[in-house]
């Protein structure tokens, strides 16, 4: 069965190519069969391979496909590398990706660009699978850039709206900053170690560089910059909320199964480099902690349901960075898995809600929907409870070991993570109370889909709800799969710390109940205070990062461009063109049509050539 590993990325890639070549001429049911079916087959193959692969025993499988490049020391091959970490990521990408595709086949059914949508979605998943299965950093970088390209295409899918195009360009440009830093890091790694094979490079790094080596720290810092850009962490996090311009299934795929998890995977995969650079590893935890606090604060005042979920993703990826920074490697990947379940559930539930409310996304226009949409309410509550890490939810089981390890390694980061957990529970409860409880403000309508398509969205939501509820039980399996790949830790904080980790989110839910349901007049009184209004505006602006970048980077650059409108480089090219025109006019005067003039020129030319020959 392992010999079929190559089929897993090939199936969605082949489907994407087929849909592109069809130029939209295929009927919708055949498009759905290609788009969803390829993902379903990839998920089934992943499960079959996982069932026969002893990841806990440290098994590794390398499948050689072909030699890619062979120039001097640079000899990367197209090889697929499967170990415990790659297997976990493989199951998440194909499993959750399949459910999102199934949901999208119903959600996007009325769209005229149905075929183009699935071509992009399949290509997105194929790029992520290449990234996860790559055995060398060059192939990994190919998948890395592939998910960046597909995110641009999908965020700007409805390109006729200029705002969507602007959001897509913003995501592409901001992530390029991190990608450039990562490329420089890979070049330095190759220059020093003469290989881009991941396992060989990591082994050589451990034998060549001492603990705390400056060069190892520099390369780890550059890789961190790449991870920060792709995973939307501080200070490159501002692109992700605007990425909500794309269709809701795109948001679910970016946030749950692909792209933003790539940075977490990169750090986990290259963890020996970060162990050699303890300062950079601590910086990973600090970046994650600051990001989860800023994102949690930013989500508190948002009114767009998808932007709230976007900030929650930034915050939860921050928890994964915190886990990697404090050495809770397996816990960080465990949280990545549970987050994929409940975040996909939340986004897809939000998408169904938006469709039934006439494309309304403002939570202030919602309310009382638990009576009209009880099943959708149940799915959303399950996802929100997992997001808030309430006790006995999958989010609690994955977040608790992160905070436990943070308490032992970095109490200050633990305090930030604990406060961030309270913020998460507060805005999650606010979302539930304002959307599903209270007075009814909008009357939902049934989904206007054909009978043969209507079942797909509820089925995907049901399966994701089950995964979110039961996802906490896979922690032991993930720990076993990763025990030979990532360093293991055994954290046992005091009972008081464990009680605090579990009880603070509950207290935040009680506070949200008091503020948004029982005594909403309290917020009305606070809103009349200038200090509260300033805090609300800062939260609504996402911490003011867009304003800061606009004033310090975009506007100065535009002014310089305006001053240098007549570019000096253009002056050089225009000067060459003018000199060429001048020479042309002068030489054209020689072509006067007089034979005696031509004969004289020929004689002079011959005399000149003979003279040169005699003199030399």
């Amino acid at each position: 069965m392992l010999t079929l590993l190559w089929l897993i990325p090939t199936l969605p890639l082949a489907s994407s190519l087929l849909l592109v070549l069809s130029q939209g001429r295929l009927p919708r049911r055949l498009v759905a069969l290609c788009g969803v079916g390829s993902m379903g087959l990839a998920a089934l193959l992943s499960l079959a391979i996982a069932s026969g692969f002893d990841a806990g025993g440290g098994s590794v499988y390398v499948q050689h496909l072909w030699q890619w490049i062979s120039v001097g020391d640079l000899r990367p091959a197209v090889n697929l590398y499967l170990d415990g970490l790659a297997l976990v990521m493989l199951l998440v990408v194909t499993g959750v990706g399949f459910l999102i595709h199934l949901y999208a086949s119903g959600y996007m059914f009325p769209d005229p660009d149905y075929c183009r949508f699935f071509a992009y979605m399949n290509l997105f998943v194929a790029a992520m699978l290449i990234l996860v299965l790559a055995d060398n950093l060059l192939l990994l970088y190919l998948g890395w850039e592939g998910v960046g390209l597909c995110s641009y295409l999908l965020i700007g899918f409805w390109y006729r709206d200029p705002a969507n195009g602007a959001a897509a360009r913003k995501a592409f440009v901001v992530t390029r900053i991190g990608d450039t830093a990562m490329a420089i890091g890979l070049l330095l790694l190759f220059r020093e170690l003469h290989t881009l094979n991941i396992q060989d490079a990591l082994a050589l790094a451990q034998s060549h560089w001492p603990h705390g080596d400056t060069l190892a720290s520099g390369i780890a810092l550059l890789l961190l910059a790449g991870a920060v850009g792709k995973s939307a962490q501080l200070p490159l996090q501002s692109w992700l909320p605007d990425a909500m311009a794309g269709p809701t299934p795109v948001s679910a795929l970016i946030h749950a199964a692909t792209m933003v998890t790539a940075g977490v995977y990169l750090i986990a995969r290259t963890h020996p480099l970060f162990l050699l650079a303890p300062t950079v590893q601590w910086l990973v935890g600090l970046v994650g902690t600051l990001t989860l606090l800023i994102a949690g604060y930013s989500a508190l005042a948002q009114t767009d349901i998808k932007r709230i979920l976007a900030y929650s993703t930034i915050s939860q990826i921050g928890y994964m960075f915190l886990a990697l920074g404090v050495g809770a490697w397996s816990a960080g990947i465990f949280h990545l898995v549970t987050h994929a379940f409940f975040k996909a559930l939340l986004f897809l539930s939000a998408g169904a809600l938006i469709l039934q409310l006439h494309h309304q996304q403002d939570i202030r226009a919602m309310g009382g929907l638990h009576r009209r949409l009880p099943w959708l309410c149940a799915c959303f509550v399950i996802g929100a409870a997992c997001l808030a890490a309430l006790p006995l939810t999958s989010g609690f089981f994955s977040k608790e070991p992160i905070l436990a390890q943070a308490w032992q390694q970095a109490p200050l980061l633990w305090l930030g993570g604990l406060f961030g957990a309270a913020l998460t529970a507060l805005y999650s409860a606010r979302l539930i109370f304002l959307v599903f409880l209270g007075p009814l403000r909008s009357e939902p309508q049934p989904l206007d889909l054909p009978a043969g398509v209507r079942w797909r969205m509820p089925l995907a939501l049901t399966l994701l709800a089950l995964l979110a509820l039961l996802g906490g039980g896979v922690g032991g399996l993930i720990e076993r799969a990763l025990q030979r790949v990532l360093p293991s830790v055994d954290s046992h904080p005091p009972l008081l710390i464990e009680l605090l980790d579990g009880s603070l989110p509950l207290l935040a839910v009680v506070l949200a109940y008091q503020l948004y349901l029982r005594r909403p007049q309290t917020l009305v009184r606070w809103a009349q205070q200038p200090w509260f209004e300033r805090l609300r505006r800062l939260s609504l602006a996402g911490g003011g990062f867009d304003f800061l970048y606009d004033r310090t980077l975009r506007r100065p650059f535009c002014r310089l461009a305006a001053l240098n409108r007549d570019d000096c480089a253009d002056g050089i090219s225009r000067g060459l063109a003018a000199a060429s025109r001048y020479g042309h006019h002068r030489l054209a005067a020689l072509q006067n049509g007089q034979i005696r003039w031509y004969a004289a020129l020929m004689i002079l030319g011959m005399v000149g050539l003979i003279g040169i020959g005699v003199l030399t």
Side-chain angles (χ1 to χ4, degrees):
M1 186 61 69
L2 286 173
T3 57
L4 298 178
L5 181 64
W6 65 275
L7 273 176
I8 295 177
T10 302
L11 284 168
L13 180 60
S15 172
S16 176
L17 292 174
L18 175 63
L19 293 175
V20 168
L21 294 175
S22 72
Q23 298 182 356
R25 296 190 181 94
L26 295 177
R28 292 175 185 272
R29 295 187 185 279
L30 188 55
V31 170
L33 181 63
C34 290
V36 182
S38 62
M39 283 304 305
L41 288 175
L44 288 175
L45 272 174
S46 300
L47 285 172
I49 288 174
S51 64
F53 187 74
D54 185 18
S59 297
V60 172
Y61 176 72
V62 180
Q63 186 173 43
H64 176 74
L65 299 180
W66 66 84
Q67 186 67 35
W68 186 6
I69 301 171
S70 182
V71 179
D73 291 334
L74 182 63
R75 291 186 292 272
V78 179
N79 291 344
L80 303 183
Y81 182 89
L82 185 68
D83 61 359
L85 177 59
L87 183 64
V88 171
M89 294 296 296
L90 194 67
L91 292 170
V92 170
V93 174
T94 57
V96 177
F98 164 68
L99 294 178
I100 294 172
H101 275 68
L102 178 64
Y103 174 97
S105 66
Y107 184 93
M108 297 295 293
F109 195 81
D111 196 281
D113 292 321
Y114 194 68
C115 184
R116 179 166 63 90
F117 175 81
F118 276 101
Y120 291 167
M121 290 279 279
N122 282 165
L123 184 61
F124 200 0
V125 174
M128 187 67 187
L129 290 171
I130 291 171
L131 187 158
V132 166
L133 292 173
D135 89 319
N136 65 80
L137 291 167
L138 189 61
L139 188 60
L140 184 149
Y141 195 70
L142 175 67
W144 188 273
E145 290 300 309
V147 295
L149 168 65
C150 294
S151 68
Y152 168 78
L153 296 173
L154 286 166
I155 293 168
F157 179 76
W158 289 319
Y159 59 87
R160 293 175 181 86
D161 185 347
N164 296 342
R169 289 193 300 274
K170 181 178 180 180
F172 193 78
V173 171
V174 172
T175 55
R176 290 290 75 71
I177 299 171
D179 294 355
T180 303
M182 179 182 170
I184 296 171
L186 299 187
L187 292 172
L188 283 175
L189 197 65
F190 177 74
R191 189 193 70 175
E192 297 299 320
L193 303 178
H194 306 289
T195 181
L196 286 176
N197 181 279
I198 296 174
Q199 303 307 316
D200 292 345
L202 296 178
L204 287 171
Q206 290 174 297
S207 62
H208 279 60
W209 291 326
H211 190 263
D213 183 79
T214 303
L215 188 56
S217 299
I219 294 173
L221 188 61
L222 290 167
L223 295 182
L224 172 59
V228 160
K230 199 65 77 182
S231 292
Q233 296 293 284
L234 190 74
L236 301 178
Q237 83 284 10
S238 62
W239 66 268
L240 194 58
D242 291 341
M244 298 303 96
T248 300
V250 172
S251 304
L253 193 61
I254 290 176
H255 290 246
T258 59
M259 186 120 176
V260 296
T261 59
V264 179
Y265 172 77
L266 175 68
I267 295 176
R269 174 57 75 195
T270 58
H271 70 274
L273 269 177
F274 288 86
L275 292 176
L276 288 174
T279 303
V280 180
Q281 185 183 354
W282 180 84
L283 184 60
V284 173
L286 179 63
V287 166
T289 304
L290 293 176
T291 303
L292 69 90
L293 289 173
I294 292 172
Y297 170 69
S298 300
L300 286 175
Q302 301 298 320
T303 56
D304 186 309
I305 188 170
K306 288 179 67 176
R307 287 184 74 88
I308 295 172
L309 296 179
Y311 280 111
S312 75
T313 296
I314 298 173
S315 177
Q316 297 309 300
I317 299 294
Y319 271 104
M320 299 172 207
F321 271 63
L322 170 61
L324 301 176
V326 298
W329 305 96
S330 297
I333 300 300
F334 181 24
H335 193 56
L336 183 152
V337 174
T338 59
H339 175 260
F341 298 154
F342 64 73
K343 187 51 60 69
L345 175 64
L346 282 170
F347 265 111
L348 299 187
S349 299
L353 186 66
I354 291 167
L355 279 186
Q356 296 185 72
L357 292 178
H358 316 279
H359 299 279
Q360 176 62 259
Q361 295 184 201
D362 193 333
I363 61 174
R364 295 171 296 183
M366 304 177 189
L369 294 174
H370 72 285
R371 297 186 185 91
R372 299 291 195 274
L373 305 170
W375 174 239
L376 201 56
C377 175
C379 290
F380 212 97
V381 168
I382 290 171
C386 295
L387 173 62
L390 299 184
L392 302 182
T393 64
S394 60
F396 170 79
F397 286 116
S398 59
K399 193 178 288 185
E400 192 275 334
I402 297 175
L403 293 176
Q405 179 69 3
W407 162 259
Q408 292 191 343
Q409 297 295 323
L412 188 61
L413 299 185
W414 165 81
L415 188 62
L418 186 64
F419 187 60
L423 287 176
T424 304
L426 185 61
Y427 67 71
S428 300
R430 169 182 177 258
L431 188 58
I432 294 297
F433 294 152
L434 293 183
V435 172
F436 292 102
L437 302 180
L440 182 68
R441 298 185 183 92
S442 300
E443 191 67 40
Q445 63 178 359
L447 291 174
D448 186 19
L449 294 172
V453 175
R454 199 175 300 137
W455 58 271
R456 299 174 188 174
M457 293 169 62
L459 177 60
L461 289 174
T462 302
L463 294 175
L464 282 170
L466 290 174
L467 287 173
L469 280 174
L470 306 176
V474 303
L477 296 175
I478 294 174
E479 180 71 31
R480 182 174 181 274
L482 299 177
Q483 64 183 355
R484 298 296 182 89
V485 183
L486 298 173
S488 59
V489 294
D490 192 12
S491 302
H492 295 288
L495 180 60
L496 178 62
I497 298 301
E498 292 184 343
L499 291 175
L500 195 58
D501 292 344
S503 60
L504 200 59
L506 292 173
L507 295 176
V509 172
V510 173
L511 176 61
Y513 171 75
Q514 294 290 331
L515 291 176
Y516 297 105
L517 279 186
R518 190 171 181 182
R519 294 187 177 91
Q521 63 273 14
T522 304
L523 285 176
V524 175
R525 287 199 306 270
W526 288 356
Q528 297 171 356
Q529 303 297 322
W531 62 270
F532 185 82
E533 179 61 18
R534 286 194 291 270
L535 290 176
R536 188 192 70 83
R537 289 184 179 180
L538 184 63
S539 172
L540 198 59
F545 282 88
D546 282 331
F547 176 84
L548 177 65
Y549 297 154
D550 181 70
R551 292 298 189 275
T552 60
L553 297 175
R554 190 189 69 84
R555 291 194 179 186
F557 180 80
C558 290
R559 290 194 189 99
L560 288 174
L563 290 173
N564 194 31
R565 187 178 299 276
D566 296 327
D567 197 336
C568 58
D570 290 342
I572 295 172
S573 61
R574 285 196 296 268
L576 291 173
S580 177
R581 285 195 300 270
Y582 177 80
H584 165 73
H585 290 309
R586 288 289 177 252
L587 290 173
L590 299 176
Q591 308 297 321
N592 55 18
Q594 297 179 8
I595 297 177
R596 288 174 296 175
W597 176 254
Y598 294 161
L601 288 178
M602 290 174 61
I603 293 171
L604 287 174
M606 291 175 61
V607 170
L609 289 174
I610 293 172
I612 292 172
V614 171
L615 293 175
T616 58

